[in-house]
Amino acid sequence: MSEPQFQVGRVIRTDAKVCHVDFDGKVLQCAPRGKLFEVRGLQRNPIAVGDMVRVDMGGDPAAIEEVLPRRNRLGRLSSMHDPREQVLVANVDRLFIIGSLAKPKFSSNRTDRVLAACQWYSVPASLVLNKIDLDKNGDAASIRATYEALGVEVLETCAATGQGVDALRERLVGRVSAFYGGSGVGKSSLLNTLQPSLALKVGKISKFWDQGKHTTTHSQLIALDFGGWVIDTPGVRTFRLHRASPAELRGMFTEFARFQGACRFPDCSHDHEPECGVFAAVERGQIAPSRFASYIEMLDELRTAPAADVDAPADDGQEAGGEPE
Ligand SMILES: Nc1nc2c(ncn2[C@@H]2O[C@H](COP(=O)(O)OP(=O)(O)O)[C@@H](O)[C@H]2O)c(=O)[nH]1
Ligand SMILES: [Mg+2]
Ligand SMILES: [Zn+2]
């Protein structure tokens, strides 16, 4: 019996001209039809890792005809020169924000940016504090307190010893998950500890910068032998929101809600206004100063975001990963 001409598969990697598509364990390189680039609208890449696609198996190469409707996605502003949305991943059950406690130092700014985006795109998120073995100052406890207060689950791991890795594995079983974090925090190391057969390349810490080198260059969806999928994303340099208004940004910092009723102005931006309930809560220690600082930085950025009517560069912008760190 011959195979059906059209099959649905899962995109596990996107390169400049081809997508690697998984059909129940069999991976094929497929070429997107040109029409997909015509209807992408505000999105820079019509196909992202995690997308389910309908493929015409008849040609060589097989051709992607259609991207099936997404359950959800995580996107960001492509760059300061390109106002379109870059979709980083599609159809994910949970995003794990991976941070390290040292080498490199934990970045609340990076964490808060991604967490805000997860709120915006309705992607459930957890925080993983890796390199717990290097936490000589006991920073993990206060970071944990900050994020648990927002209702975000916090896991502590050490890829080197395997501490906390079973708890992480439990959360990955049977789901599509994504790992997001700066380069060098230990994403590939954690994946190798979760599943040693992966043998992903692990970066050497550069002594000069004391930061990780960029070794993962593409987002890729990895099949887990205990069931489920995980996307290893390369760190992107800066995570900026795509087309959010200041009012929408306020909503992404969920802990502000219970204090903004005390603001003198109902549309208070919590930036410079007198009698601001949110700023008062920061002063009383009820909102973490690091969170407020992240908010103010993102607010300033939205106010100077590139206009949507700026001509977009004419690249075909297909890689899902963004520019390297
Ligand atoms: N001490 C310690 N080092 C780790 C841990 N996890 C990863 N590393 C080291 O951190 C460096 C970067 O790891 P890598 O997995 O490549 O990070 P990635 O860029 O996020 O994929 C490597 O030298 C790892 O050996 C950990 O839990 N503890
Ligand atoms: Mg890596
Ligand atoms: Zn206010």
Side-chain angles (χ1 to χ4, degrees), residues 81-323:
H81 315 290
D82 184 346
R84 293 175 296 176
E85 177 186 14
Q86 181 193 26
V87 180
L88 296 169
V89 293
N91 304 321
V92 287
D93 292 311
R94 182 167 291 273
L95 186 93
F96 291 85
I97 303 168
I98 320 274
S100 61
L101 287 152
K103 296 185 176 187
K105 205 168 161 299
F106 179 76
S107 166
S108 46
N109 187 284
R110 179 187 281 275
T111 303
D112 295 341
R113 284 171 177 278
V114 180
L115 211 49
C118 286
Q119 276 290 328
W120 180 229
Y121 287 99
S122 306
V123 174
S126 298
L127 177 61
V128 177
L129 299 176
N130 189 39
K131 307 199 189 184
I132 191 80
D133 55 311
L134 301 182
D135 187 24
K136 305 290 183 252
N137 309 325
D139 293 335
S142 65
I143 298 170
R144 173 186 279 283
T146 296
Y147 292 96
E148 283 182 345
L150 311 174
V152 175
E153 184 185 43
V154 181
L155 301 171
E156 293 172 10
T157 59
C158 174
T161 63
Q163 182 189 339
V165 170
D166 285 341
L168 180 56
R169 186 185 291 104
E170 260 174 43
R171 285 158 181 77
L172 302 178
V173 176
R175 304 210 174 99
V176 181
S177 312
F179 280 11
Y180 188 92
S183 97
V185 299
K187 296 178 297 296
S188 300
S189 304
L190 279 171
L191 286 165
N192 285 339
T193 307
L194 284 159
Q195 182 168 318
S197 62
L198 289 174
L200 297 173
K201 206 162 133 208
V202 164
K204 292 247 183 327
I205 301 267
S206 147
K207 290 214 175 65
F208 186 67
W209 294 107
D210 201 31
Q211 287 214 347
K213 275 213 185 96
H214 182 73
T215 45
T216 307
T217 52
H218 294 272
S219 286
Q220 53 175 339
L221 194 56
I222 296 168
L224 297 166
D225 54 20
F226 47 84
W229 297 87
V230 65
I231 302 169
D232 185 17
T233 60
V236 288
R237 200 188 292 133
T238 319
F239 199 109
R240 293 198 173 87
L241 291 169
H242 179 250
R243 289 170 75 90
S245 70
E248 286 163 333
L249 179 68
R250 296 199 279 280
M252 295 176 218
F253 282 75
T254 51
E255 72 267 51
F256 291 1
R258 48 185 275 246
F259 302 109
Q260 53 201 15
C263 297
R264 177 165 148 198
F265 302 105
D267 62 345
C268 181
S269 69
H270 320 314
D271 183 5
H272 56 274
E273 294 92 338
E275 293 169 51
C276 169
V278 169
F279 190 69
V282 175
E283 289 188 313
R284 287 195 305 269
Q286 290 175 294
I287 289 176
S290 61
R291 293 274 302 161
F292 187 68
S294 298
Y295 166 74
I296 293 296
E297 193 183 288
M298 292 177 77
L299 182 64
D300 285 343
E301 242 168 53
L302 290 181
R303 287 170 170 162
T304 56
D309 55 2
V310 167
D311 277 343
D315 71 323
D316 68 356
Q318 256 238 77
E319 315 103 78
E323 75 266 27

